[in-house]
């Protein structure tokens, strides 16, 4: 099942708005080990919404391929690292983009009660929870996070099968879906 257009049409990494120096270290970020620690990137919430949608859609396609070849699925955490690695190549640039992603997710959690940002922030917080960015994620076994991500992505795949996303919906990282489609997707 093809859920989205081929990579060449719209699946490209967003261009960072600006380069900044980030001093904070987050729990998920501690796994990163780069020789290019002075390279930092800053995504904004709009870029991240689009990026997260691309991650979700590519992860669904990857899971379908793994299932077809009867191979174990990659965890969302490993997939996200590979997603950035495939786009940026060098470990330092990959990890700079990952640090920026973690920063946006953490900022979204802190700003999720701001009514102007709440919908986009909630999506980022959900992504962060599935990815294991927040410290409380480590109170659950890894397989619980993996299963939660699989359920969420399975639901999204069902929604996309019933109501395919337009190019605009994918690049904007947001979509309006009817309650009927949601009920059928469950």
């Amino acid at each position: 099942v093809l859920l989205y257009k081929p990579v060449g049409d719209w699946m490209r990494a967003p261009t960072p708005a600006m380069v900044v120096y980030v001093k904070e270290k987050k729990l998920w970020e501690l796994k990163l080990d780069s020789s290019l620690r002075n390279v930092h990137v800053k995504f904004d919430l709009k870029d991240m919404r689009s990026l997260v949608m691309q991650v979700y859609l590519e992860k669904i396609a990857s899971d379908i391929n793994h299932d077809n070849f009867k191979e174990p699925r990659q965890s969302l955490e490993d997939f996200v690292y590979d997603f950035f690695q495939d786009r940026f190549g060098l470990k330092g640039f990959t990890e700079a983009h990952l640090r920026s992603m973690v920063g946006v997710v953490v900022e979204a959690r802190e700003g999720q009660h701001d009514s102007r940002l709440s919908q986009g922030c909630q999506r980022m917080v959900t992504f962060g929870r599935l990815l294991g960015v927040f410290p409380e994620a480590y109170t659950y076994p890894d397989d619980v996070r993996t299963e939660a991500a699989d359920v969420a992505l399975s639901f999204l795949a069902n929604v996309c099968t019933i109501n395919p996303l337009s190019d605009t919906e994918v690049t904007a990282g947001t979509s309006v879906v009817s309650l009927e489609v949601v009920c059928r997707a469950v």
Side-chain angles (χ1 to χ4, degrees):
V1 178
L2 184 63
L3 301 174
Y4 53 88
K5 288 190 172 189
V7 170
D9 288 329
W10 53 265
M11 298 294 282
R12 56 190 173 278
T15 305
M18 58 188 234
V19 177
V20 297
Y21 185 76
V22 180
K23 293 182 180 177
E24 295 181 5
K25 283 200 137 322
K26 305 300 179 203
L27 185 59
W28 191 81
E29 186 182 348
L30 293 176
K31 296 179 181 183
L32 305 179
D33 179 30
S34 170
S35 60
L36 296 175
R37 291 207 181 274
N38 59 342
V39 176
H40 293 280
V41 175
K42 177 75 174 164
F43 289 120
D44 64 19
L45 190 59
K46 183 181 176 202
D47 289 337
M48 279 301 298
R49 279 199 316 257
S50 176
L51 185 71
V52 168
M53 182 64 82
Q54 291 176 19
V55 166
Y56 285 159
L57 294 175
E58 287 194 29
K59 174 75 167 102
I60 290 168
S62 174
D63 288 349
I64 290 169
N65 287 336
H66 282 94
D67 292 349
N68 288 340
F69 290 107
K70 309 229 183 303
E71 297 172 346
R73 291 179 174 185
Q74 196 175 21
S75 71
L76 183 61
E77 186 175 331
D78 291 340
F79 182 83
V80 168
Y81 187 92
D82 289 347
F83 177 88
F84 281 98
Q85 182 72 42
D86 290 345
R87 277 156 182 73
F88 303 109
L90 295 174
K91 184 177 180 180
F93 291 120
T94 297
E95 293 181 359
H97 285 82
L98 288 168
R99 283 190 293 275
S100 178
M101 178 202 68
V102 168
V104 171
V105 169
V106 170
E107 286 174 17
R109 184 178 191 186
E110 293 166 357
Q112 69 184 345
H113 302 294
D114 183 339
S115 61
R116 295 173 295 128
L117 304 172
S118 63
Q119 187 179 22
C121 286
Q122 192 55 49
R123 286 189 199 119
M124 292 303 104
V125 172
T126 300
F127 178 67
R129 286 184 178 136
L130 292 174
L131 196 56
V133 170
F134 307 118
E136 64 269 14
Y138 293 95
T139 62
Y140 301 106
D142 286 344
D143 58 336
V144 171
R145 269 200 340 266
T146 300
E147 188 173 332
D150 285 347
V151 168
L153 292 174
S154 176
F155 173 73
L156 179 60
N158 290 342
V159 168
C160 291
T161 300
I162 296 167
N163 186 34
L165 299 174
S166 70
D167 290 348
T168 305
E169 289 173 313
V170 172
T171 56
T174 184
S175 178
V176 177
V177 179
S178 71
L179 182 59
E180 177 187 340
V181 170
V182 171
C183 291
R184 287 178 48 202
V186 175

